[in-house]
Amino acid sequence: MFRVNVRDHIMIAHSFRGEVFGPAQRLHGATYVVDATFAATELDADEIVVDIGLATEQLHAVLADLNYRNLDDEAAFAGTNTSTEALARVIADRLAERVQATNLTGITVTLHESHVAWASYERPL
Amino acid sequence: MFRVNVRDHIMIAHSFRGEVFGPAQRLHGATYVVDATFAATELDADEIVVDIGLATEQLHAVLADLNYRNLDDEAAFAGTNTSTEALARVIADRLAERVQATNLTGITVTLHESHVAWASYERPL
Amino acid sequence: MFRVNVRDHIMIAHSFRGEVFGPAQRLHGATYVVDATFAATELDADEIVVDIGLATEQLHAVLADLNYRNLDDEAAFAGTNTSTEALARVIADRLAERVQATNLTGITVTLHESHVAWASYERPL
Amino acid sequence: MFRVNVRDHIMIAHSFRGEVFGPAQRLHGATYVVDATFAATELDADEIVVDIGLATEQLHAVLADLNYRNLDDEAAFAGTNTSTEALARVIADRLAERVQATNLTGITVTLHESHVAWASYERPL
Amino acid sequence: MFRVNVRDHIMIAHSFRGEVFGPAQRLHGATYVVDATFAATELDADEIVVDIGLATEQLHAVLADLNYRNLDDEAAFAGTNTSTEALARVIADRLAERVQATNLTGITVTLHESHVAWASYERPL
Amino acid sequence: MFRVNVRDHIMIAHSFRGEVFGPAQRLHGATYVVDATFAATELDADEIVVDIGLATEQLHAVLADLNYRNLDDEAAFAGTNTSTEALARVIADRLAERVQATNLTGITVTLHESHVAWASYERPL
C-alpha cells in the first residue's frame, strides 16, 4: 500500500453542547493542522499516488469554506457538535468528492488540535 | 474508522538483559512521550470517539504508576525486559481496563523514546 | 546564560479590527501552544534555573484565565486586538508577577498558532 | 500488533518527467527524512520486535547507496520517476532483503519531504 | 522584544567545492524548511509586528526565485558555496529589501535541512 | 550572526537531592535530545560556520561519555544535581574544548527532556 500526505490548517471558533465537554461548552476556538492522506495499492502512469501539488490545492479549497469562521453560525453544522473527529469526517467526505482517480483506494483526514491531541477519520474511496 | 489521540510522558530508569542490547545492558533511563490512540467505527451520542479530557486523565493515571521509577525494582516487571514495545503493551492493557465504552473498538499506545525511535502496540477493545 | 522552557496550550475565540487582517476580521479562533522560557545567569542552590514542575503550574494558572474563552468578551482586552504577539506580552507580564526568584533575569513567551506561524515577547525580570 | 520505528535521512538531486510535475521537471533536490517501521505480531525471546541499534544500522546501509547523489544518473532508476512514493518502495524492498527475522510480518517506509508532505510504502515481510 | 515567525520551504539541487564537504561535493539536493523571524521593539498601530499574511507572501516571493532549481546553474551563486548558512543570508537580505516597516528592527532566517541540522543568519533591519 | 545546529541524543539514569524535586528524588531517567548550536559573526573560507559532519562527530564523542549511564555513579558528578540545565553546561564546556575555530564566537547546548520541557546553556567561545 502506498500513501501520500499533504498538510494545511484552519482557524475556527465553535462551542459544544453536552456536559461531557465542561468548559468547552463556552464559545472558544481552535487551530486545526490538517493532514490529508491518500492511499493507493498501485502507482499511476506517472509513478505517483496523487500529485502533491494537486492534492494541496484540493485540500486548500475544501478548508477555505471553513477557515476564519464561527462554526456555530454555519448552516451545514446546525444542531451538531463540530468535534475534532466529526470535522475530520466532513473534510474527508468533501475531499473525496473532489479528488477522484481510479488508483485511489482510501483517504484519511487528521486534525491536530494541539501538541497533545488529534483526531482522524479514515474512509474508502 | 475514527481515531482520537492524547499525549503525556514518563521518565524512568531501567536496564536490559541480553547481549543484543550492548551498552543498554547498563542501568540507564528514558523519557517516553506516550500517545494513546482510541479507535471507533461510530461516534457516540455527543459526536465524539472519547472525551479528550477523560482520555487524558485516564492515560495520566496509568502513567503515574510508572513515572519517576527504576523499572528494575518494580515487581510487575520482575524477570522481564522493559523494552519500549513491551512497555507499550503494558500501558495499552492497563488503559483498556480503565476506558470502557461500547463504541470503542481498539487502542494503540506509542512510546517515542527519542527523535529517531519509537515503538507501539495495537490491540482490540 | 541558562534557560528553561515549559509548554502548555489554550484554545480561544476572537476577531480582529483593521483591514490588514482580511478574513481574520471575522470571529474565528486559535489553539496557541505556549512556551514559557525562563533565563538566569546563574543556577540556584538546587542547581536549577527554576523548578520545571513549579514553572508548569504557574504557566497553567496564567493560561486558565484565558482558556476556552471568546477574548472579544473579556474586559481585559476591550478595545484592543488580541494578536498573537500582544497575547504573548500579556502572558509574559502575568507570569512575571507570579514567578519571582532572585536568580531569574528574563522571560520569553512564545505562542505557536499553527505549524507555520508563531509570535513571542521577551522581557527582563 | 507491535511496531518499532527508526529514523535517518538522505539528501539527493533528481528531476521528474511528466507535465503533472510542473516546475519539478527541472533538476532540483530533496532532503528525505526516512522512517522505517517494522511490524510483528509477537515479540522475540529478548522481548523486542527488532533491535533498534540493528535496525538503525541496516537502514543507514540502505540509505548510503542513495545519499548525496543525483538519482537521474543512477542506473537503478533509468527511465523511471523517482517520486517520493516510488523511492519509499525501493527503500522498503532493499531493507526487506537485509532485515530477516521470523517474527517480523511487515515493513513500512515513510519519506518526509518537507514539513507539509510525505509518502510511504507498506509491504509484508 | 517582539518576534513573529512564518514558515515555507524550497527544494533545490547543488554541490559543494572543498574537501571538508566529503561526499557532499557530488551533485545532491536538499529540502530547506525556511523560517523567517521578524523582530520589533514596539507593536504597530494594529498591535502587530508584521501581518502574518503579508510576511508569508513576501517570504514565498523570495523563495520562488530559488525553488526547484539547481543552484550550481544560477548566476547569483557563481563561484560560491551555497551552504545552508550562506543561503540563509541570501534569503534574509532579499527579504529585508521587501519587508520595510518603521517598527521592524531585525530579521532572522533559519533553514532546516533535516531533522538533525539547521543554520540561520540574523541581521538588523 | 550566523548559527549552525546539529542534534543527537542520550539516555541516562539519575536522581535529584532537594525537596523541590518531589518524586524526581527517586532514581529515574531521561532521554535528552541534544542540540549543539555554533555561532559565528563571519563564515570561514569554505563559506560555513562549522562543517556539519565535523560538528556531529564532536557532539557524538562528547555524548558517548554520558550515554547509557547512571549519572549518580559518575565521579564527575559526585555531590551535584545533574539537572537538565547543569548537564547542558557540562556538555557545552566539553564541546568547547573540542571544537576550536577562529571564526566561532559562541556555543549553545539545549537538552529537550520531553515534548513540553527543555533547558539550555549559552556561552562564548
Coordinates of all heavy atoms in Angstrom, one line a residue, chain F residues 5-68:
Chain F
N5 N 23.3 24.3 13.7 CA 22.9 23.4 14.8 C 22.9 22.0 14.3 O 22.5 21.6 13.2 CB 21.4 23.7 15.2 CG 20.9 22.9 16.4 OD1 21.2 23.3 17.5 ND2 20.2 21.8 16.1
V6 N 23.4 21.1 15.2 CA 23.4 19.6 15.0 C 22.7 19.0 16.2 O 22.8 19.5 17.3 CB 24.8 19.0 14.7 CG1 25.4 19.6 13.4 CG2 25.7 19.3 15.9
R7 N 22.1 17.8 16.0 CA 21.3 17.2 17.0 C 21.7 15.7 17.2 O 22.0 15.0 16.2 CB 19.8 17.2 16.6 CG 18.9 16.5 17.5 CD 17.4 16.8 17.1 NE 17.0 18.1 17.6 CZ 15.8 18.6 17.7 NH1 14.8 17.8 17.3 NH2 15.5 19.8 18.2
D8 N 21.7 15.2 18.5 CA 21.9 13.8 18.8 C 21.1 13.6 20.1 O 20.3 14.4 20.5 CB 23.4 13.6 19.0 CG 23.9 12.2 18.9 OD1 23.0 11.3 19.1 OD2 25.0 12.0 18.6
H9 N 21.3 12.4 20.7 CA 20.6 12.2 22.0 C 21.3 11.2 22.9 O 22.2 10.5 22.4 CB 19.2 11.7 21.7 CG 19.1 10.2 21.2 ND1 19.5 9.8 20.0 CD2 18.7 9.1 21.9 CE1 19.3 8.5 19.9 NE2 18.8 8.1 21.0
I10 N 21.0 11.3 24.2 CA 21.5 10.3 25.2 C 20.3 9.8 26.1 O 19.3 10.5 26.1 CB 22.6 11.0 26.1 CG1 22.1 12.3 26.7 CG2 23.9 11.2 25.4 CD1 23.0 12.9 27.8
M11 N 20.6 8.6 26.6 CA 19.6 8.0 27.5 C 20.3 7.7 28.8 O 21.1 6.8 28.9 CB 19.0 6.8 26.9 CG 18.4 7.1 25.5 SD 17.7 5.7 24.6 CE 16.0 5.7 25.3
I12 N 19.9 8.4 29.9 CA 20.6 8.2 31.2 C 19.7 8.0 32.4 O 18.5 8.3 32.3 CB 21.5 9.5 31.5 CG1 20.6 10.8 31.5 CG2 22.6 9.7 30.4 CD1 20.0 11.1 32.8
A13 N 20.2 7.5 33.5 CA 19.5 7.4 34.7 C 20.2 8.4 35.7 O 21.3 8.7 35.6 CB 19.6 6.0 35.3
H14 N 19.4 8.9 36.6 CA 19.9 9.7 37.7 C 18.8 10.0 38.7 O 17.6 9.6 38.5 CB 20.4 11.1 37.2 CG 19.5 12.0 36.5 ND1 19.7 13.3 36.1 CD2 18.2 11.7 36.0 CE1 18.7 13.8 35.5 NE2 17.7 12.9 35.5
S15 N 19.2 10.7 39.8 CA 18.2 11.1 40.8 C 18.6 12.5 41.3 O 19.7 12.9 41.1 CB 18.2 10.1 42.0 OG 19.4 10.1 42.7
F16 N 17.7 13.2 42.0 CA 18.0 14.5 42.5 C 17.9 14.6 44.0 O 17.1 13.9 44.6 CB 17.0 15.5 41.8 CG 17.1 15.7 40.4 CD1 16.0 15.6 39.5 CD2 18.3 15.8 39.8 CE1 16.1 15.7 38.2 CE2 18.5 16.0 38.4 CZ 17.3 15.9 37.6
R17 N 18.7 15.5 44.6 CA 18.6 15.8 46.0 C 18.0 17.1 46.3 O 18.5 18.1 45.7 CB 20.0 15.7 46.6 CG 20.6 14.2 46.6 CD 22.0 14.2 47.0 NE 22.8 15.1 46.2 CZ 24.1 15.4 46.4 NH1 24.7 14.9 47.5 NH2 24.7 16.2 45.6
G18 N 17.0 17.2 47.1 CA 16.3 18.5 47.3 C 14.8 18.3 47.3 O 14.3 17.7 46.3
E19 N 14.1 18.9 48.3 CA 12.7 18.6 48.3 C 11.9 19.2 47.1 O 10.9 18.7 46.7 CB 12.1 19.2 49.6 CG 12.4 18.4 50.8 CD 11.7 18.9 52.1 OE1 10.7 19.6 51.9 OE2 12.2 18.5 53.2
V20 N 12.5 20.2 46.5 CA 11.8 20.9 45.4 C 11.6 19.9 44.2 O 10.7 20.1 43.4 CB 12.7 22.1 44.9 CG1 14.0 21.6 44.2 CG2 11.9 22.9 43.9
F21 N 12.4 18.8 44.2 CA 12.3 17.9 43.1 C 11.2 16.8 43.2 O 10.9 16.1 42.3 CB 13.6 17.2 42.9 CG 14.7 18.1 42.4 CD1 15.7 18.5 43.3 CD2 14.7 18.6 41.1 CE1 16.7 19.4 42.9 CE2 15.7 19.5 40.7 CZ 16.7 19.9 41.6
G22 N 10.5 16.8 44.4 CA 9.4 15.9 44.7 C 9.8 14.4 44.3 O 10.8 13.9 44.7
P23 N 8.9 13.8 43.4 CA 9.1 12.4 43.1 C 10.4 12.2 42.2 O 10.9 11.0 42.1 CB 7.9 12.0 42.2 CG 7.3 13.3 41.8 CD 7.7 14.3 42.9
A24 N 11.0 13.2 41.7 CA 12.2 13.1 40.9 C 13.4 12.9 41.8 O 14.6 12.8 41.3 CB 12.4 14.3 40.0
Q25 N 13.2 12.8 43.1 CA 14.3 12.5 44.1 C 14.5 11.0 44.0 O 15.6 10.5 44.4 CB 13.9 12.9 45.5 CG 13.8 14.4 45.7 CD 13.3 14.7 47.1 OE1 14.1 14.8 48.1 NE2 12.0 14.9 47.2
R26 N 13.6 10.2 43.5 CA 13.8 8.8 43.2 C 14.7 8.6 42.0 O 14.7 9.4 41.1 CB 12.4 8.1 43.0 CG 11.4 8.2 44.1 CD 10.3 7.2 44.0 NE 9.5 7.4 42.8 CZ 8.2 7.8 42.8 NH1 7.7 8.3 44.0 NH2 7.6 7.9 41.7
L27 N 15.3 7.4 42.0 CA 16.1 7.1 40.8 C 15.1 6.9 39.6 O 14.2 6.1 39.6 CB 16.9 5.7 41.0 CG 17.8 5.3 39.8 CD1 18.9 6.3 39.6 CD2 18.4 3.9 40.1
H28 N 15.4 7.7 38.6 CA 14.5 7.6 37.4 C 15.5 7.8 36.2 O 16.6 7.4 36.2 CB 13.4 8.6 37.4 CG 13.9 10.1 37.4 ND1 14.5 10.6 38.5 CD2 13.8 11.0 36.5 CE1 14.8 11.9 38.3 NE2 14.4 12.1 37.0
G29 N 15.0 8.4 35.1 CA 15.9 8.5 33.9 C 15.3 9.5 32.9 O 14.2 10.1 33.1
A30 N 16.0 9.7 31.8 CA 15.6 10.6 30.8 C 16.3 10.4 29.5 O 17.4 9.9 29.5 CB 15.9 12.1 31.2
T31 N 15.6 10.6 28.4 CA 16.2 10.8 27.1 C 16.4 12.3 26.9 O 15.4 13.1 27.1 CB 15.2 10.3 26.0 OG1 14.9 9.0 26.2 CG2 15.9 10.5 24.6
Y32 N 17.6 12.7 26.7 CA 17.8 14.1 26.3 C 18.2 14.2 24.8 O 19.2 13.6 24.4 CB 19.0 14.7 27.1 CG 18.7 14.8 28.6 CD1 19.5 14.1 29.5 CD2 17.7 15.7 29.0 CE1 19.2 14.2 30.9 CE2 17.5 15.8 30.4 CZ 18.2 15.1 31.3 OH 18.0 15.2 32.7
V33 N 17.3 14.8 24.1 CA 17.6 15.1 22.7 C 18.4 16.4 22.7 O 18.0 17.4 23.2 CB 16.3 15.3 21.8 CG1 16.7 15.8 20.4 CG2 15.5 14.0 21.8
V34 N 19.7 16.3 22.2 CA 20.7 17.4 22.5 C 20.9 18.2 21.2 O 21.4 17.6 20.2 CB 22.0 16.8 23.0 CG1 23.0 17.9 23.3 CG2 21.8 15.9 24.2
D35 N 20.7 19.5 21.3 CA 21.1 20.4 20.2 C 22.3 21.2 20.5 O 22.4 21.8 21.6 CB 19.9 21.4 19.9 CG 18.8 20.8 19.1 OD1 19.1 20.1 18.1 OD2 17.6 21.0 19.5
A36 N 23.3 21.2 19.6 CA 24.5 22.0 19.8 C 24.5 23.0 18.7 O 24.5 22.7 17.5 CB 25.8 21.1 19.7
T37 N 24.5 24.3 19.1 CA 24.4 25.4 18.2 C 25.6 26.3 18.2 O 26.0 26.8 19.3 CB 23.2 26.3 18.6 OG1 22.0 25.5 18.8 CG2 22.9 27.3 17.5
F38 N 26.3 26.4 17.1 CA 27.5 27.1 17.0 C 27.3 28.5 16.3 O 26.6 28.5 15.3 CB 28.6 26.3 16.1 CG 28.9 25.0 16.7 CD1 28.1 23.9 16.4 CD2 29.9 24.8 17.6 CE1 28.4 22.6 16.9 CE2 30.2 23.6 18.2 CZ 29.4 22.5 17.8
A39 N 27.8 29.5 16.9 CA 27.6 30.9 16.4 C 28.9 31.5 15.9 O 30.0 31.2 16.4 CB 27.1 31.8 17.5
A40 N 28.8 32.3 14.8 CA 30.0 32.9 14.2 C 29.5 34.3 13.6 O 28.4 34.3 13.0 CB 30.6 32.1 13.2
T41 N 30.4 35.3 13.7 CA 30.0 36.5 13.1 C 30.3 36.5 11.6 O 29.8 37.3 10.8 CB 30.7 37.7 13.7 OG1 32.1 37.4 13.9 CG2 30.1 38.0 15.1
E42 N 31.3 35.7 11.2 CA 31.7 35.6 9.8 C 31.8 34.1 9.4 O 32.1 33.3 10.2 CB 33.1 36.3 9.5 CG 33.1 37.7 9.9 CD 32.2 38.6 9.0 OE1 31.9 38.1 7.8 OE2 31.7 39.6 9.4
L43 N 31.6 33.8 8.1 CA 31.8 32.5 7.6 C 33.3 32.3 7.3 O 34.0 33.2 7.1 CB 31.0 32.3 6.3 CG 29.5 32.5 6.4 CD1 28.8 32.2 5.1 CD2 28.9 31.6 7.5
D44 N 33.7 31.0 7.3 CA 35.1 30.8 7.0 C 35.4 30.7 5.5 O 34.5 31.0 4.7 CB 35.6 29.5 7.8 CG 35.0 28.2 7.2 OD1 34.3 28.3 6.1 OD2 35.1 27.2 7.8
A45 N 36.6 30.3 5.1 CA 36.9 30.3 3.7 C 36.1 29.3 2.9 O 35.9 29.5 1.6 CB 38.4 29.9 3.5
D46 N 35.5 28.3 3.5 CA 34.6 27.4 2.8 C 33.1 27.9 2.8 O 32.2 27.2 2.4 CB 34.6 26.0 3.4 CG 36.0 25.3 3.2 OD1 36.4 25.3 2.0 OD2 36.6 24.8 4.2
E47 N 32.9 29.1 3.4 CA 31.6 29.7 3.5 C 30.7 28.9 4.4 O 29.5 28.8 4.2 CB 31.0 29.9 2.1 CG 31.7 30.9 1.3 CD 31.4 31.0 -0.2 OE1 32.0 30.2 -1.0 OE2 30.5 31.8 -0.5
I48 N 31.2 28.4 5.5 CA 30.4 27.8 6.5 C 30.8 28.3 7.9 O 31.9 28.9 8.0 CB 30.6 26.2 6.5 CG1 32.1 25.8 6.6 CG2 30.0 25.7 5.2 CD1 32.3 24.3 6.7
V49 N 30.0 28.0 8.9 CA 30.3 28.3 10.3 C 31.2 27.2 10.8 O 32.2 27.5 11.4 CB 29.0 28.4 11.1 CG1 29.3 28.4 12.6 CG2 28.2 29.6 10.7
V50 N 30.8 26.0 10.6 CA 31.5 24.8 11.0 C 30.9 23.7 10.1 O 29.8 23.7 9.8 CB 31.3 24.5 12.5 CG1 29.8 24.2 12.8 CG2 32.2 23.4 13.0
D51 N 31.8 22.7 9.8 CA 31.3 21.6 9.0 C 30.3 20.8 9.8 O 30.6 20.4 10.9 CB 32.4 20.7 8.6 CG 32.0 19.5 7.7 OD1 31.3 19.8 6.7 OD2 32.2 18.4 8.1
I52 N 29.1 20.6 9.2 CA 28.0 19.9 9.9 C 28.5 18.5 10.3 O 28.1 17.9 11.3 CB 26.7 19.9 9.1 CG1 26.1 21.3 9.2 CG2 25.7 18.9 9.6 CD1 24.8 21.5 8.4
G53 N 29.2 17.8 9.4 CA 29.7 16.5 9.7 C 30.6 16.5 10.8 O 30.5 15.6 11.7
L54 N 31.6 17.4 10.9 CA 32.5 17.5 12.0 C 31.8 17.8 13.3 O 32.1 17.2 14.3 CB 33.6 18.6 11.7 CG 34.5 18.9 12.8 CD1 35.5 17.8 13.0 CD2 35.3 20.2 12.5
A55 N 30.9 18.8 13.3 CA 30.2 19.1 14.5 C 29.4 17.9 15.0 O 29.3 17.7 16.2 CB 29.2 20.3 14.2
T56 N 28.8 17.2 14.1 CA 28.0 16.0 14.5 C 29.0 15.0 15.2 O 28.6 14.4 16.2 CB 27.4 15.4 13.3 OG1 26.5 16.3 12.7 CG2 26.6 14.1 13.6
E57 N 30.1 14.8 14.6 CA 31.1 13.8 15.2 C 31.6 14.3 16.6 O 31.7 13.5 17.5 CB 32.4 13.7 14.3 CG 32.2 12.9 13.1 CD 33.4 13.0 12.1 OE1 34.5 13.4 12.6 OE2 33.2 12.8 10.9
Q58 N 31.8 15.5 16.8 CA 32.3 16.1 18.0 C 31.2 16.0 19.1 O 31.5 15.6 20.2 CB 32.8 17.5 17.9 CG 34.0 17.6 17.0 CD 35.3 16.8 17.5 OE1 35.4 16.8 18.7 NE2 36.0 16.2 16.6
L59 N 30.0 16.3 18.7 CA 28.9 16.2 19.7 C 28.7 14.8 20.1 O 28.5 14.4 21.3 CB 27.6 16.8 19.1 CG 26.4 16.6 19.9 CD1 26.5 17.3 21.3 CD2 25.1 17.1 19.2
H60 N 28.8 13.9 19.1 CA 28.6 12.4 19.4 C 29.7 11.9 20.4 O 29.4 11.2 21.3 CB 28.6 11.6 18.1 CG 28.1 10.2 18.3 ND1 26.8 9.9 18.4 CD2 28.8 9.0 18.4 CE1 26.6 8.6 18.6 NE2 27.8 8.1 18.5
A61 N 30.9 12.4 20.2 CA 32.0 12.0 21.0 C 31.8 12.5 22.5 O 32.0 11.7 23.4 CB 33.4 12.5 20.5
V62 N 31.4 13.7 22.6 CA 31.1 14.2 24.0 C 30.0 13.4 24.6 O 30.0 13.1 25.8 CB 30.8 15.7 23.9 CG1 30.2 16.2 25.2 CG2 32.0 16.5 23.5
L63 N 28.9 13.1 23.9 CA 27.8 12.4 24.5 C 28.1 11.0 24.8 O 27.5 10.4 25.7 CB 26.6 12.5 23.5 CG 26.0 13.9 23.2 CD1 24.8 13.9 22.3 CD2 25.7 14.7 24.5
A64 N 29.0 10.4 24.1 CA 29.4 9.0 24.3 C 29.8 8.7 25.7 O 29.6 7.6 26.3 CB 30.5 8.5 23.3
D65 N 30.4 9.7 26.4 CA 30.9 9.6 27.7 C 29.8 9.6 28.8 O 30.0 9.4 30.0 CB 31.9 10.7 28.1 CG 33.3 10.4 27.4 OD1 33.5 9.3 27.0 OD2 34.0 11.4 27.2
L66 N 28.6 10.0 28.3 CA 27.4 10.1 29.2 C 26.3 9.1 28.9 O 25.5 8.7 29.8 CB 26.8 11.5 29.1 CG 27.7 12.7 29.4 CD1 27.0 14.0 29.0 CD2 28.0 12.8 30.9
N67 N 26.3 8.6 27.7 CA 25.2 7.8 27.2 C 25.1 6.4 27.9 O 26.1 5.8 28.2 CB 25.4 7.6 25.7 CG 24.1 7.3 25.0 OD1 23.0 7.3 25.6 ND2 24.1 6.9 23.8
Y68 N 23.9 6.0 28.1 CA 23.6 4.6 28.7 C 24.3 4.5 30.1 O 25.0 3.5 30.4 CB 24.1 3.5 27.8 CG 23.2 3.4 26.6 CD1 23.8 3.5 25.3 CD2 21.8 3.2 26.7 CE1 23.0 3.4 24.2 CE2 21.0 3.1 25.6 CZ 21.6 3.2 24.3 OH 20.8 3.1 23.2

